[in-house]
């Protein structure tokens, strides 16, 4: 991108994500958990415009409810912009115009996508040319899902979820996602999972989490039927306990042609895997007719990238 174009502003698009597999280890001394996740970036995007400014400011709009998204320094995208400025010694600021399409606090990484987009946008706007490795270092400081929003595609995440390795995924996987009117706090879901695991009938394993081999084989084969046999989300137990009304939609989707249904990440968004685009459309119509908002998305898609403004 030329300096002249960058001076006028930069537009970056970053994807939301689904956790095809999510295993959560026991709580650590610092309160965090080791996890093993199979991420897939899907075709529900956040758009961020970065334009020159003397200060760091942000405006937020979108097709989803953005009333709970902070428009100050608590915003993850603003924090991302400040990190880039600090890294390169940029004396000015930036205005970020965020247009959201990923459900807020829905377990699909919308805020992380905003942050990834802001990193890429500011890098381009200021001509920093930090490179992929440096941007990933900054992303890891912002949260476990931000590095994946940069990478996109399909990946395995371990540690806190930010130690990423690309995973080969052949072909296309079609999903129907059902957002919820009210979000769920990720820390609250993890805390509730820890509480539930203290029960003797649930418990937890101290083993190091790992992604099931069947997930990797299904992705490499491009086989949604095989993938459906191995999808898993340890956070689903806590999310459904906190929001039991989600069970009705989950059961309807599974009874109406989905290969598998699950809570996405920490929820409350639900994700249904289907065999092909036609099946996804049929399921979308069925869920919509029952009064649910239902969106047909597919993956994998690319990570945060500059697009024509």
């Amino acid at each position: 991108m030329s300096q002249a174009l960058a001076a006028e502003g930069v537009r970056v698009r970053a994807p939301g994500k689904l956790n095809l597999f999510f295993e959560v280890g026991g709580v650590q001394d610092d309160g965090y958990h080791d996890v093993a996740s199979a991420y897939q970036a899907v075709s529900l995007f956040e758009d961020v415009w970065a334009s020159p400014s003397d200060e760091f400011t942000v405006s937020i709009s979108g097709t989803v409810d953005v009333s709970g998204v902070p428009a100050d320094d608590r915003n993850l995208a603003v924090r991302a912009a400040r990190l880039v400025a600090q890294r390169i010694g940029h004396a000015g600021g930036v205005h970020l115009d965020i247009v959201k399409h990923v459900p807020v606090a829905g377990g699909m990484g919308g805020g992380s996508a905003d942050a990834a987009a802001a990193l890429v946008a500011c890098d381009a706007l200021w001509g920093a040319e930090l490179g992929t490795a440096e941007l990933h270092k900054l992303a890891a400081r912002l949260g476990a899902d931000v590095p994946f929003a940069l990478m996109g595609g399909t990946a395995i995440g371990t540690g806190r979820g930010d130690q990423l390795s690309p995973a080969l995924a052949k072909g296309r996987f079609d999903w129907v996602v059902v957002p919820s009117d009210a979000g769920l706090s990720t820390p609250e879901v993890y805390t509730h999972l820890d509480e539930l695991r203290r029960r003797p009938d649930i418990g937890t394993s101290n083993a190091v989490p790992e992604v099931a081999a069947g997930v990797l084989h299904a992705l490499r084969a491009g086989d949604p039927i095989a993938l459906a046999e191995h999808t898993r989300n340890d956070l689903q137990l806590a999310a459904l306990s906190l929001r039991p009304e989600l069970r009705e939609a989950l059961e309807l989707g599974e009874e109406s042609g989905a290969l598998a249904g699950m809570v996405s990440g920490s929820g409350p968004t639900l994700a249904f895997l289907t065999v092909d685009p036609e099946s996804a459309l049929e399921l979308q119509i069925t869920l919509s007719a029952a009064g649910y908002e239902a969106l047909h998305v597919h993956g994998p898609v690319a990570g945060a990238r500059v697009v024509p403004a």
Side-chain angles (χ1 to χ4, degrees):
M1 173 176 293
S2 72
Q3 289 291 336
L5 286 175
E8 297 174 3
V10 175
R11 177 189 177 191
V12 173
R13 171 166 284 183
K17 58 84 182 172
L18 295 174
N19 295 87
L20 319 182
F21 181 94
F22 200 68
E23 183 173 287
V24 180
V27 62
Q28 306 294 310
D29 292 340
D30 59 4
Y32 287 91
H33 303 72
D34 282 340
V35 303
S37 176
Y39 296 102
Q40 186 162 93
V42 296
S43 57
L44 198 58
F45 300 97
E46 305 280 86
D47 286 299
V48 175
W49 279 260
S51 53
S53 176
D54 294 332
E55 300 177 327
F56 289 87
T57 56
V58 61
S59 58
I60 305 156
S61 60
T63 57
V64 295
D65 181 7
V66 300
S67 59
V69 180
D72 52 26
D73 277 358
R74 294 172 297 160
N75 188 287
L76 203 58
V78 176
R79 290 167 55 193
R82 287 190 179 276
L83 272 185
V84 177
Q86 181 183 26
R87 171 65 179 77
I88 67 174
H90 179 70
V94 66
H95 176 70
L96 301 175
D97 183 13
I98 301 174
V99 180
K100 298 185 66 64
H101 304 289
V102 177
V104 176
M108 292 189 68
S112 297
D114 295 340
L119 290 174
V120 173
C122 290
D123 180 67
L125 182 70
W126 298 328
E129 299 183 354
L130 289 175
T132 300
E134 188 63 28
L135 288 175
H136 274 268
K137 288 180 183 178
L138 297 179
R141 294 170 59 183
L142 293 162
D145 287 342
V146 182
F148 177 69
L150 274 178
M151 175 186 287
T154 306
I156 303 304
T158 55
R160 300 287 158 78
D162 58 349
Q163 298 173 22
L164 296 175
S165 56
L168 178 63
K170 180 181 177 182
R172 161 177 164 149
F173 293 85
D174 285 270
W175 302 83
V176 175
V177 296
V178 176
S180 181
D181 290 337
L184 272 172
S185 160
T186 297
E188 181 184 4
V189 174
Y190 271 99
T191 298
H192 192 53
L193 177 63
D194 294 334
E195 294 170 352
L196 291 172
R197 283 177 163 179
R198 294 190 189 104
R199 290 169 36 181
D201 59 324
I202 296 176
T204 184
S205 171
N206 292 321
V208 176
E210 61 180 348
V211 174
V215 172
L216 302 177
H217 294 323
L219 290 170
R220 282 196 295 268
D223 186 345
I225 296 175
L227 179 61
E229 296 176 1
H230 298 282
T231 56
R232 168 182 167 186
N233 180 7
D234 283 358
L235 294 178
Q236 178 165 310
L237 177 69
L240 292 181
S241 175
L242 291 167
R243 297 283 298 277
E245 70 275 11
L246 296 174
R247 294 182 186 276
E248 185 175 344
L250 194 59
E251 291 172 359
L252 175 61
E254 291 175 332
E255 294 167 357
S256 302
L259 297 174
M262 61 183 175
V263 172
S264 174
S266 56
T269 301
L270 303 177
F272 298 96
L273 177 61
T274 65
V275 71
D276 54 29
E278 292 75 23
S279 299
L281 178 59
E282 292 175 4
L283 179 59
Q284 181 185 20
I285 291 171
T286 298
L287 291 168
S288 297
Y292 298 103
E293 180 184 4
L295 307 170
H296 174 201
V297 302
H298 68 272
V301 299
R305 67 201 188 282
V306 176
V307 295

